[in-house]
Amino acid sequence: MKKYAVLLFLFSTFFISQKSTAQNSTEHHIAPSPWQYWSDANEIVITTLATGIVNATISKSDGTEIITLALTSTLPAVYRFEGVPTQRSRNAINTVYNDRGIIVTSTAEIAVNVRNIASDDANTGTDDQGNFIKGNASLVSFGNAGKGTSFRLGYYRTNFAGVSGNAPVYSAMAIENNTQVFLNNVLLRTLNAGQSYLFTAPIGAHLTSDKLIVANAGAYSDAPGGCADGIVTQVIPTQALGKNYIIVRGNGTPGTLTNYPEQSTIIATQPNTVIEISNYTPQGIFINTTTQTIVNAGGSYTFHHGDAQNLYSSSYVEAEKPIIIYSGSADLCEVDMSTVIPIGDCTGSNEIFTRKFTAYNGNDLDAFGYIIVASATEPVLFNGANLETLTASPRTPIGNSGYFILQFTNAQVGNPDNYHLVSNAIMTVSIVQ
């Protein structure tokens, strides 16, 4: 099972990825996942870079307080929700809920990562249709940067074979009362603060609102190659999108099937968007470049990122206009999805702190990760030690893009409880379990 994390943050598989300090906020609104959060198959990891003790309060979106936790810059707060998974059926589409989202507030800026840790344990009642919580997955809150009034909805692939209900699931949660939410300019629902609504929609659909909302994309269950997993990621608002992206291939089962897990879907936000995709081997050797033009806003293009075969191969995406990319990453057939964070334009982080991955039974889970930097020499410190020394693996250039990739596994870095990365170079970090 895998988990993928990118620290902005960004799989079964767990995927956590973090890219920018914008993910650090004193208030996090998190829309519902396809499954309910209120069982012990979900946990929340809260970290901070602030000095001193920080208090963070976790509440349901209807204002019901669950718990207040204390944390520091060296000691994250980890809370496992209460409840029996088999008594928490999945969230239904076309239904208004008052309490299915999460709100986290704090006395200083924090990062919030919500993890599905069901791990296909028999006690969670998982099934391939996702009637309850399924597999593993990870959602990193974008904090204030995740709030918006315009979103382009999508999924990492456009062939939905193996996806429960043959369709992805989206959710929107209001932050203020009397928020009108529209889908392709048609009123979807009017929601009050903390209320949420799950629905299906075509790839590239335009979700808009007259007041700030947050939105998620996912699936009850996705089986791209025989393993079924729950999928979830927060959707990046249109105003936070960019033009340049790097996608690194995970450890998904090689192949070119239409439902293959290691693929990405690009969605244009403006008409006549020209996109250039350059692919590289794990050693950073150039393979080829393709150019695509997406004619309509909301139009999409799906491709197998990297070399379609090997871990750490990559794709460098350059667009003339802002785009959003939904990317699948996997460990063999265990898959999750992320919205890829743009690179450049001062995005990224100089310091990242997160927690190891654990299974439903409490056992530690293996993970691999990578860091993207725009420096050939600036050290990256992992828990105080030079990462390249720890792994005995030097950074690799991604062709002539100006970016470099550093790699690691949890075993190479000593199986620590916490992951603390620091560099004078701006980093984009992804960790896949």
Side-chain angles (χ1 to χ4, degrees), residues 1-4 11-16 33-35 41-43 113-119 133-140 219 229-233 335-337 357-358 365 433:
M1 293 174 213
K2 167 187 95 158
K3 171 136 190 164
Y4 175 32
F11 257 105
S12 187
T13 280
F14 279 134
F15 176 50
I16 182 171
S33 293
W35 51 89
N42 297 274
E43 72 177 15
N113 178 207
V114 181
R115 302 177 179 181
N116 160 6
I117 59 169
S119 306
I133 191 170
K134 174 64 178 170
N136 287 351
S138 173
L139 179 150
V140 177
D229 286 296
I231 302 285
V232 68
T233 188
V335 66
D336 203 353
M337 176 177 73
F357 296 116
T358 56
L365 294 171
Q433 172 269 309

CSV table of all heavy atoms in Angstrom, one decimal, residues 1-4 11-16 33-35 41-43 113-119 133-140 219 229-233 335-337 357-358 365 433:
chain,number,residue,atom,x,y,z
A,1,MET,N,0.8,-1.2,0.0
A,1,MET,CA,0.0,0.0,0.0
A,1,MET,C,0.9,1.2,0.0
A,1,MET,O,1.9,1.2,0.6
A,1,MET,CB,-0.9,0.0,1.2
A,1,MET,CG,-1.9,-1.1,1.2
A,1,MET,SD,-2.8,-1.2,2.6
A,1,MET,CE,-3.1,-2.9,2.7
A,2,LYS,N,0.4,2.3,-0.6
A,2,LYS,CA,1.2,3.4,-0.8
A,2,LYS,C,0.6,4.7,-0.3
A,2,LYS,O,-0.6,4.8,-0.3
A,2,LYS,CB,1.5,3.5,-2.3
A,2,LYS,CG,2.1,4.8,-2.7
A,2,LYS,CD,2.2,4.9,-4.2
A,2,LYS,CE,1.1,5.6,-4.8
A,2,LYS,NZ,1.4,6.1,-6.1
A,3,LYS,N,1.4,5.6,0.1
A,3,LYS,CA,0.9,6.9,0.4
A,3,LYS,C,1.8,7.9,-0.3
A,3,LYS,O,3.0,7.8,-0.2
A,3,LYS,CB,0.8,7.2,1.8
A,3,LYS,CG,0.5,8.6,2.1
A,3,LYS,CD,-0.5,8.6,3.2
A,3,LYS,CE,-1.0,10.0,3.4
A,3,LYS,NZ,-2.2,10.1,4.1
A,4,TYR,N,1.2,8.9,-1.0
A,4,TYR,CA,2.0,9.9,-1.7
A,4,TYR,C,1.7,11.2,-1.1
A,4,TYR,O,0.6,11.6,-0.9
A,4,TYR,CB,1.5,9.8,-3.1
A,4,TYR,CG,2.1,10.8,-4.0
A,4,TYR,CD1,3.4,11.3,-3.8
A,4,TYR,CD2,1.4,11.4,-5.1
A,4,TYR,CE1,4.0,12.2,-4.6
A,4,TYR,CE2,2.0,12.3,-5.9
A,4,TYR,CZ,3.3,12.7,-5.7
A,4,TYR,OH,3.8,13.6,-6.5
A,11,PHE,N,-0.7,5.9,-1.1
A,11,PHE,CA,-1.8,6.0,-2.0
A,11,PHE,C,-2.2,4.6,-1.7
A,11,PHE,O,-1.6,3.9,-1.7
A,11,PHE,CB,-1.3,6.5,-3.2
A,11,PHE,CG,-1.1,7.6,-4.0
A,11,PHE,CD1,0.1,8.1,-3.9
A,11,PHE,CD2,-1.9,8.1,-4.9
A,11,PHE,CE1,0.4,9.1,-4.7
A,11,PHE,CE2,-1.7,9.0,-5.6
A,11,PHE,CZ,-0.6,9.5,-5.5
A,12,SER,N,-4.3,-0.3,0.1
A,12,SER,CA,-3.7,0.6,-0.7
A,12,SER,C,-2.4,1.3,-1.0
A,12,SER,O,-1.5,0.6,-0.7
A,12,SER,CB,-4.7,1.2,-1.5
A,12,SER,OG,-4.9,1.9,-2.4
A,13,THR,N,-2.3,2.8,-1.5
A,13,THR,CA,-1.2,3.7,-1.7
A,13,THR,C,-1.5,5.0,-0.9
A,13,THR,O,-2.6,5.5,-1.0
A,13,THR,CB,-1.1,4.1,-3.2
A,13,THR,OG1,-0.4,3.0,-3.8
A,13,THR,CG2,-0.4,5.3,-3.4
A,14,PHE,N,-0.5,5.6,-0.3
A,14,PHE,CA,-0.7,6.9,0.3
A,14,PHE,C,0.2,7.9,-0.5
A,14,PHE,O,1.3,7.6,-0.8
A,14,PHE,CB,-0.1,6.9,1.7
A,14,PHE,CG,-1.0,6.4,2.7
A,14,PHE,CD1,-0.6,5.5,3.7
A,14,PHE,CD2,-2.4,6.8,2.8
A,14,PHE,CE1,-1.4,5.0,4.7
A,14,PHE,CE2,-3.2,6.3,3.8
A,14,PHE,CZ,-2.7,5.4,4.7
A,15,PHE,N,-0.3,9.0,-0.9
A,15,PHE,CA,0.5,10.0,-1.5
A,15,PHE,C,0.4,11.3,-0.7
A,15,PHE,O,-0.7,11.8,-0.5
A,15,PHE,CB,-0.1,10.2,-2.9
A,15,PHE,CG,0.6,11.3,-3.7
A,15,PHE,CD1,1.9,11.3,-3.8
A,15,PHE,CD2,-0.1,12.3,-4.3
A,15,PHE,CE1,2.6,12.3,-4.5
A,15,PHE,CE2,0.5,13.3,-5.0
A,15,PHE,CZ,1.8,13.3,-5.1
A,16,ILE,N,1.6,11.8,-0.3
A,16,ILE,CA,1.6,13.1,0.4
A,16,ILE,C,2.6,13.9,-0.3
A,16,ILE,O,3.7,13.6,-0.5
A,16,ILE,CB,1.8,13.0,1.9
A,16,ILE,CG1,1.8,14.3,2.5
A,16,ILE,CG2,3.1,12.3,2.1
A,16,ILE,CD1,1.9,14.3,4.0
A,33,SER,N,-14.3,13.7,2.0
A,33,SER,CA,-13.8,12.6,1.1
A,33,SER,C,-15.0,11.8,0.7
A,33,SER,O,-16.1,11.9,1.2
A,33,SER,CB,-12.8,11.8,1.8
A,33,SER,OG,-11.6,12.5,2.1
A,34,PRO,N,-14.8,10.9,-0.3
A,34,PRO,CA,-16.0,10.0,-0.6
A,34,PRO,C,-16.5,9.2,0.6
A,34,PRO,O,-17.6,8.8,0.6
A,34,PRO,CB,-15.4,9.1,-1.7
A,34,PRO,CG,-14.3,10.0,-2.3
A,34,PRO,CD,-13.7,10.7,-1.2
A,35,TRP,N,-15.6,8.9,1.5
A,35,TRP,CA,-15.9,8.2,2.7
A,35,TRP,C,-16.1,9.1,3.9
A,35,TRP,O,-15.6,10.3,3.9
A,35,TRP,CB,-14.9,7.1,3.1
A,35,TRP,CG,-13.5,7.7,3.1
A,35,TRP,CD1,-12.8,8.2,4.1
A,35,TRP,CD2,-12.6,7.8,2.0
A,35,TRP,NE1,-11.6,8.7,3.7
A,35,TRP,CE2,-11.4,8.4,2.4
A,35,TRP,CE3,-12.7,7.4,0.6
A,35,TRP,CZ2,-10.4,8.7,1.6
A,35,TRP,CZ3,-11.6,7.7,-0.2
A,35,TRP,CH2,-10.5,8.3,0.3
A,41,ALA,N,-10.5,4.4,11.1
A,41,ALA,CA,-9.7,4.2,9.9
A,41,ALA,C,-9.2,5.4,9.2
A,41,ALA,O,-8.8,5.5,8.1
A,41,ALA,CB,-10.6,3.4,8.9
A,42,ASN,N,-9.4,6.6,9.9
A,42,ASN,CA,-8.9,7.9,9.5
A,42,ASN,C,-8.0,8.5,10.6
A,42,ASN,O,-8.4,8.4,11.8
A,42,ASN,CB,-10.0,8.8,9.2
A,42,ASN,CG,-10.9,8.3,8.1
A,42,ASN,OD1,-10.6,8.6,6.9
A,42,ASN,ND2,-12.0,7.7,8.4
A,43,GLU,N,-7.0,9.1,10.2
A,43,GLU,CA,-6.2,9.9,11.2
A,43,GLU,C,-5.8,11.2,10.6
A,43,GLU,O,-5.8,11.4,9.4
A,43,GLU,CB,-4.9,9.1,11.7
A,43,GLU,CG,-3.8,9.0,10.7
A,43,GLU,CD,-2.6,8.3,11.3
A,43,GLU,OE1,-2.7,7.7,12.4
A,43,GLU,OE2,-1.5,8.4,10.7
A,113,ASN,N,-2.7,17.2,7.3
A,113,ASN,CA,-2.8,16.0,6.4
A,113,ASN,C,-3.8,15.0,7.0
A,113,ASN,O,-3.6,14.5,8.1
A,113,ASN,CB,-1.4,15.4,6.3
A,113,ASN,CG,-1.3,14.2,5.5
A,113,ASN,OD1,-0.4,13.3,5.7
A,113,ASN,ND2,-2.1,14.0,4.5
A,114,VAL,N,-4.8,14.7,6.2
A,114,VAL,CA,-5.9,13.7,6.6
A,114,VAL,C,-5.6,12.4,5.9
A,114,VAL,O,-5.5,12.4,4.7
A,114,VAL,CB,-7.3,14.2,6.3
A,114,VAL,CG1,-8.3,13.2,6.8
A,114,VAL,CG2,-7.5,15.6,7.0
A,115,ARG,N,-5.4,11.3,6.6
A,115,ARG,CA,-5.0,10.1,6.0
A,115,ARG,C,-6.1,9.0,6.3
A,115,ARG,O,-6.6,8.8,7.4
A,115,ARG,CB,-3.7,9.6,6.6
A,115,ARG,CG,-2.6,10.6,6.5
A,115,ARG,CD,-1.3,10.1,7.1
A,115,ARG,NE,-0.2,11.1,6.9
A,115,ARG,CZ,1.0,10.9,7.4
A,115,ARG,NH1,1.3,9.8,8.1
A,115,ARG,NH2,1.9,11.8,7.2
A,116,ASN,N,-6.5,8.3,5.2
A,116,ASN,CA,-7.3,7.1,5.2
A,116,ASN,C,-6.3,6.0,5.5
A,116,ASN,O,-5.4,5.7,4.7
A,116,ASN,CB,-8.0,6.9,3.9
A,116,ASN,CG,-8.4,5.5,3.6
A,116,ASN,OD1,-8.3,4.6,4.4
A,116,ASN,ND2,-8.9,5.3,2.4
A,117,ILE,N,-6.4,5.3,6.6
A,117,ILE,CA,-5.5,4.2,7.0
A,117,ILE,C,-6.2,2.9,7.1
A,117,ILE,O,-5.8,2.0,7.8
A,117,ILE,CB,-4.7,4.5,8.3
A,117,ILE,CG1,-5.8,4.7,9.5
A,117,ILE,CG2,-3.9,5.8,8.2
A,117,ILE,CD1,-5.1,4.8,10.8
A,118,ALA,N,-7.3,2.7,6.3
A,118,ALA,CA,-8.0,1.5,6.4
A,118,ALA,C,-7.2,0.3,6.1
A,118,ALA,O,-7.4,-0.8,6.7
A,118,ALA,CB,-9.2,1.6,5.4
A,119,SER,N,-6.2,0.4,5.1
A,119,SER,CA,-5.3,-0.7,4.8
A,119,SER,C,-5.9,-2.0,4.4
A,119,SER,O,-5.3,-3.0,4.6
A,119,SER,CB,-4.4,-0.9,6.0
A,119,SER,OG,-3.7,0.3,6.4
A,133,ILE,N,-15.1,2.8,3.9
A,133,ILE,CA,-13.8,3.3,3.6
A,133,ILE,C,-13.0,2.2,3.0
A,133,ILE,O,-13.1,1.1,3.4
A,133,ILE,CB,-13.1,3.9,4.9
A,133,ILE,CG1,-11.9,4.7,4.5
A,133,ILE,CG2,-12.9,2.8,5.9
A,133,ILE,CD1,-11.3,5.5,5.7
A,134,LYS,N,-12.1,2.6,2.0
A,134,LYS,CA,-11.4,1.5,1.2
A,134,LYS,C,-9.9,1.9,1.1
A,134,LYS,O,-9.6,3.0,0.8
A,134,LYS,CB,-12.1,1.4,-0.1
A,134,LYS,CG,-11.3,0.5,-1.1
A,134,LYS,CD,-11.3,-0.9,-0.6
A,134,LYS,CE,-10.7,-1.9,-1.6
A,134,LYS,NZ,-10.4,-3.2,-1.0
A,135,GLY,N,-9.1,0.9,1.3
A,135,GLY,CA,-7.6,1.1,1.0
A,135,GLY,C,-7.0,2.1,1.9
A,135,GLY,O,-7.4,2.4,3.0
A,136,ASN,N,-6.0,2.8,1.3
A,136,ASN,CA,-5.3,4.0,2.0
A,136,ASN,C,-5.4,5.1,1.0
A,136,ASN,O,-5.4,5.0,-0.2
A,136,ASN,CB,-3.9,3.6,2.3
A,136,ASN,CG,-3.8,2.7,3.5
A,136,ASN,OD1,-4.7,2.4,4.2
A,136,ASN,ND2,-2.6,2.2,3.7
A,137,ALA,N,-5.3,6.3,1.6
A,137,ALA,CA,-5.2,7.5,0.7
A,137,ALA,C,-4.8,8.7,1.6
A,137,ALA,O,-4.8,8.6,2.9
A,137,ALA,CB,-6.6,7.9,0.1
A,138,SER,N,-4.4,9.8,1.0
A,138,SER,CA,-3.9,10.9,1.8
A,138,SER,C,-4.4,12.2,1.1
A,138,SER,O,-4.4,12.4,-0.1
A,138,SER,CB,-2.4,10.9,1.8
A,138,SER,OG,-1.9,12.1,2.4
A,139,LEU,N,-4.9,13.1,2.0
A,139,LEU,CA,-5.3,14.5,1.5
A,139,LEU,C,-4.5,15.5,2.3
A,139,LEU,O,-4.5,15.5,3.6
A,139,LEU,CB,-6.8,14.7,1.7
A,139,LEU,CG,-7.3,16.0,1.3
A,139,LEU,CD1,-8.8,15.9,0.8
A,139,LEU,CD2,-7.3,17.1,2.4
A,140,VAL,N,-3.8,16.4,1.6
A,140,VAL,CA,-3.1,17.5,2.3
A,140,VAL,C,-3.9,18.8,2.1
A,140,VAL,O,-4.2,19.1,0.9
A,140,VAL,CB,-1.7,17.7,1.7
A,140,VAL,CG1,-1.0,18.9,2.4
A,140,VAL,CG2,-0.9,16.4,2.0
A,219,ALA,N,-12.7,9.2,-5.6
A,219,ALA,CA,-13.5,8.1,-6.0
A,219,ALA,C,-13.8,7.2,-4.8
A,219,ALA,O,-12.9,7.1,-3.9
A,219,ALA,CB,-12.9,7.3,-7.1
A,229,ASP,N,-8.8,0.9,-4.4
A,229,ASP,CA,-8.4,1.9,-3.4
A,229,ASP,C,-9.3,3.1,-3.4
A,229,ASP,O,-9.8,3.5,-4.5
A,229,ASP,CB,-7.0,2.4,-3.6
A,229,ASP,CG,-5.9,1.4,-3.2
A,229,ASP,OD1,-5.8,1.1,-2.1
A,229,ASP,OD2,-5.2,1.0,-4.1
A,230,GLY,N,-9.6,3.7,-2.2
A,230,GLY,CA,-10.2,5.0,-2.2
A,230,GLY,C,-9.3,6.0,-2.7
A,230,GLY,O,-8.0,5.9,-2.5
A,231,ILE,N,-9.8,7.1,-3.3
A,231,ILE,CA,-9.0,8.1,-3.9
A,231,ILE,C,-9.5,9.5,-3.4
A,231,ILE,O,-10.7,9.7,-3.3
A,231,ILE,CB,-9.2,8.1,-5.5
A,231,ILE,CG1,-8.7,6.8,-6.1
A,231,ILE,CG2,-8.4,9.3,-6.1
A,231,ILE,CD1,-7.3,6.6,-6.1
A,232,VAL,N,-8.6,10.4,-3.1
A,232,VAL,CA,-9.0,11.7,-2.7
A,232,VAL,C,-7.8,12.7,-2.8
A,232,VAL,O,-6.7,12.4,-2.6
A,232,VAL,CB,-9.6,11.8,-1.3
A,232,VAL,CG1,-8.5,11.5,-0.2
A,232,VAL,CG2,-10.3,13.1,-1.0
A,233,THR,N,-8.1,13.9,-3.3
A,233,THR,CA,-7.2,15.0,-3.3
A,233,THR,C,-8.0,16.3,-3.2
A,233,THR,O,-9.1,16.4,-3.6
A,233,THR,CB,-6.3,15.0,-4.5
A,233,THR,OG1,-5.3,16.0,-4.4
A,233,THR,CG2,-7.1,15.3,-5.8
A,335,VAL,N,-3.2,2.7,-5.8
A,335,VAL,CA,-3.1,4.0,-6.4
A,335,VAL,C,-3.8,5.1,-5.6
A,335,VAL,O,-4.7,4.8,-4.8
A,335,VAL,CB,-3.8,3.9,-7.8
A,335,VAL,CG1,-5.3,3.7,-7.8
A,335,VAL,CG2,-3.5,5.2,-8.6
A,336,ASP,N,-3.3,6.3,-5.7
A,336,ASP,CA,-4.0,7.5,-5.3
A,336,ASP,C,-3.7,8.6,-6.3
A,336,ASP,O,-3.0,8.4,-7.2
A,336,ASP,CB,-3.5,7.9,-3.9
A,336,ASP,CG,-4.5,8.7,-3.1
A,336,ASP,OD1,-5.5,9.1,-3.7
A,336,ASP,OD2,-4.3,9.0,-1.9
A,337,MET,N,-4.3,9.7,-6.0
A,337,MET,CA,-4.2,10.8,-7.0
A,337,MET,C,-3.9,12.1,-6.3
A,337,MET,O,-4.2,12.3,-5.1
A,337,MET,CB,-5.6,11.0,-7.6
A,337,MET,CG,-5.7,12.1,-8.6
A,337,MET,SD,-7.4,12.2,-9.4
A,337,MET,CE,-8.4,12.8,-8.0
A,357,PHE,N,4.2,7.0,7.9
A,357,PHE,CA,2.9,6.4,7.5
A,357,PHE,C,2.7,5.1,8.4
A,357,PHE,O,3.7,4.3,8.5
A,357,PHE,CB,2.8,6.1,6.1
A,357,PHE,CG,2.9,7.3,5.2
A,357,PHE,CD1,3.9,7.5,4.3
A,357,PHE,CD2,1.9,8.3,5.3
A,357,PHE,CE1,4.0,8.6,3.5
A,357,PHE,CE2,1.9,9.4,4.5
A,357,PHE,CZ,3.0,9.6,3.6
A,358,THR,N,1.5,4.9,8.8
A,358,THR,CA,1.2,3.7,9.6
A,358,THR,C,-0.1,3.1,9.0
A,358,THR,O,-0.9,3.8,8.4
A,358,THR,CB,1.0,4.0,11.1
A,358,THR,OG1,0.0,5.1,11.2
A,358,THR,CG2,2.3,4.5,11.7
A,365,LEU,N,4.6,1.7,7.8
A,365,LEU,CA,4.5,1.3,6.3
A,365,LEU,C,5.8,1.9,5.6
A,365,LEU,O,6.3,2.9,5.9
A,365,LEU,CB,3.3,1.9,5.7
A,365,LEU,CG,1.9,1.4,6.2
A,365,LEU,CD1,0.8,2.2,5.7
A,365,LEU,CD2,1.8,-0.1,5.8
A,433,GLN,N,3.7,6.1,-0.1
A,433,GLN,CA,3.8,4.9,0.8
A,433,GLN,C,3.1,3.8,0.0
A,433,GLN,O,2.0,3.9,-0.5
A,433,GLN,CB,3.0,5.1,2.1
A,433,GLN,CG,2.8,3.9,2.9
A,433,GLN,CD,1.5,3.2,2.6
A,433,GLN,OE1,0.5,3.8,2.6
A,433,GLN,NE2,1.6,1.9,2.4
